[in-house]
Amino acid sequence: MKKVLLLVLLVTLGKNVYGESQIRTYGIVGSGYSAVASYGGGLSYSWNSTPKEDKKLLHFVDVNSLFLGIQDIEHQKHFNISDPSFQFNFFVTYGLGFKTQNDVLLSFDILGMGINTTARANDFAGDPGGSTYTKIGVLFNTLGVQAVFPSGMYLAWRNTYTGYNWRSTEIYRETTEIADAGEFKTMLMFGYAFKIK
């Protein structure tokens, strides 16, 4: 993954190796298939190429860490706050964007990839209790937009899809219809961006 991103940067940026960096911290609310409700926070490192007079299109690379509580529909647990899942999402995204005349930095997610780790209490019939169910999958990110305003305010709409490759127990495959369907999330993010000198 690192080699792919480095190659993308070298090919697309050419001699323009200089850029601007930011740390973004934000709250998250969202929904989707399987993940009926998502809520939590995140931290991202974002890099974009330096705006030039003769080059309006900017290249963006960001590294994202999301910490989420998830209310899912497995076992018909619609919004059962007493039994949420906890998720850690980590992904790297490449995008394109520009800076508006009002100095708003806009970027559009093209493609990102990473991992999604989910942990929740086991609660299937016959479970002795106290155990944890874990699933890990490959996460893809695309079709999103991010905006950083001159004040530093950060707003974004982002989408992820995770296909699960490993589960700590196979009984969920037998007790739920969506265990192998993966998870789509659409999320709104709001927070603040700190420029790195």
Side-chain angles (χ1 to χ4, degrees):
M1 186 66 181
K2 289 180 181 178
K3 290 180 180 178
V4 171
L5 285 175
L6 181 59
L7 180 61
V8 168
L9 282 175
L10 289 176
V11 170
T12 57
L13 300 180
K15 294 181 180 179
N16 183 13
V17 295
Y18 299 100
E20 302 171 338
S21 298
Q22 296 177 339
I23 296 291
R24 300 170 178 176
T25 179
Y26 44 86
I28 302 167
V29 293
S31 186
Y33 177 72
S34 179
V36 175
S38 306
Y39 43 85
L43 183 68
S44 299
Y45 168 79
S46 179
W47 178 94
N48 64 271
S49 57
T50 306
K52 302 287 185 185
E53 284 296 325
D54 59 341
K55 191 173 183 181
K56 303 296 184 183
L57 189 65
L58 304 177
H59 301 271
F60 289 80
V61 175
D62 57 53
V63 180
N64 308 274
S65 300
L66 311 184
F67 303 90
L68 300 169
I70 298 293
Q71 304 303 143
D72 60 39
I73 62 173
E74 291 182 325
H75 302 116
Q76 285 71 51
K77 287 192 166 292
H78 299 278
F79 301 101
N80 186 347
I81 303 301
S82 64
D83 185 23
S85 303
F86 172 79
Q87 275 191 4
F88 171 70
N89 293 195
F90 176 84
F91 57 97
V92 179
T93 298
Y94 169 76
L96 295 172
F98 58 93
K99 187 171 280 191
T100 70
Q101 291 181 347
N102 298 324
D103 277 341
V104 177
L105 193 62
L106 283 175
S107 64
F108 301 89
D109 296 343
I110 303 298
L111 184 62
M113 190 173 176
I115 61 167
N116 174 324
T117 302
T118 303
R120 65 176 294 165
N122 268 333
D123 62 349
F124 53 83
D127 178 62
S131 57
T132 300
Y133 167 61
T134 305
K135 51 188 178 182
I136 299 173
V138 177
L139 179 150
F140 296 94
N141 162 242
T142 190
L143 301 177
V145 60
Q146 303 180 71
V148 177
F149 295 84
S151 64
M153 183 174 66
Y154 169 74
L155 297 175
W157 170 62
R158 308 189 82 180
N159 298 284
T160 62
Y161 176 80
T162 302
Y164 290 105
N165 294 331
W166 180 84
R167 302 169 194 279
S168 60
T169 178
E170 295 298 310
I171 196 163
Y172 270 69
R173 297 182 188 274
E174 304 167 8
T175 58
T176 68
E177 294 180 1
I178 66 166
D180 294 313
E183 175 186 282
F184 168 76
K185 289 196 298 291
T186 184
M187 298 169 286
L188 295 176
M189 303 173 177
F190 47 92
Y192 195 83
F194 302 88
K195 286 186 179 180
I196 301 174
K197 300 291 185 181

